[in-house]
Amino acid sequence: MQTAKEIFLEMLKPGAQPERQLKQYEALHMRLYDPINTYLRGNCKRGTVSVDRWGTTISFPEDAPGAMPLNHGELAVCRDITRWRGYMHDIGKNLVKIMEGMRRVVSLAEEKGIRDKVRIFVGGAPISQSFCDEIGADVYTEDAGAAARAAVEILRSCQSSR
């Protein structure tokens, strides 16, 4: 029987023929404990609250499928919207780190010899298609919802090409 990881990797291939469909959060479990996620978000453990490398407080409740950033009260990025200019400088520094991290993910995939086995998605408001092309990522989307829809379409095309 194939592991969840083996099934997920099989689904990414053209002409994929997995032995079964993954359960709802089965693929998410792999992502939570992979080395890249640990590097980016710290070593989040179920039932804990931790701080990642950018200072974001991350909560991972026992009953949740994954960790989520806390962004309310004192943890809000911009606590007083009338003073938004004071927060923009810090956000800009974090954005540079995030974009450098995206570039590093692509280069690490190449260095480790897995670049042709994975699809790398980038996106969000500050990211553009030209940045996606520049770093060699595969897919650009405007937001996480669009990324999820694009991933579903890629998986469907893999299944239909079998």
Side-chain angles (χ1 to χ4, degrees):
M1 183 168 155
Q2 290 180 316
T3 66
K5 182 177 182 178
E6 290 168 337
I7 292 170
F8 180 75
L9 293 174
E10 175 68 23
M11 292 293 295
L12 297 177
K13 297 177 186 174
Q17 294 193 4
E19 64 181 29
R20 66 181 175 85
Q21 295 292 319
L22 293 175
K23 296 176 192 162
Q24 185 175 5
Y25 295 117
E26 215 172 345
L28 178 62
H29 177 76
M30 291 180 298
R31 184 194 166 284
L32 292 173
Y33 304 103
D34 80 292
I36 293 173
N37 190 56
T38 300
Y39 172 76
L40 294 175
R41 285 294 185 194
N43 199 10
C44 295
K45 301 275 190 235
R46 195 171 291 279
T48 65
V49 175
S50 58
V51 178
D52 70 8
R53 62 183 290 117
W54 293 290
T56 305
T57 302
I58 307 290
S59 172
F60 194 167
E62 285 286 339
D63 59 345
M68 296 295 293
L70 297 177
N71 59 1
H72 51 70
E74 288 299 312
L75 300 173
V77 173
C78 182
R79 290 185 269 298
D80 182 358
I81 195 64
T82 61
R83 298 171 191 247
W84 65 270
R85 282 187 174 90
Y87 296 99
M88 293 309 289
H89 180 71
D90 291 338
I91 291 171
K93 282 195 283 188
N94 280 342
L95 178 59
V96 169
K97 287 181 184 178
I98 291 167
M99 292 174 77
E100 288 170 358
M102 290 176 184
R103 187 180 313 271
R104 182 83 176 120
V105 166
V106 174
S107 65
L108 280 172
E110 290 169 354
E111 287 174 24
K112 299 296 180 184
I114 62 167
R115 184 63 189 94
D116 59 336
K117 297 176 184 174
V118 298
R119 304 255 169 84
I120 298 176
F121 288 61
V122 296
I127 307 299
S128 65
Q129 180 65 53
S130 62
F131 177 74
C132 175
D133 297 340
E134 176 188 327
I135 67 170
D138 299 302
V139 180
Y140 161 76
T141 61
E142 291 184 4
D143 56 39
R149 289 186 293 277
V152 167
E153 287 306 311
I154 288 170
L155 291 172
R156 281 189 182 139
S157 70
C158 289
Q159 287 177 336
S160 66
S161 65
R162 302 191 229 176

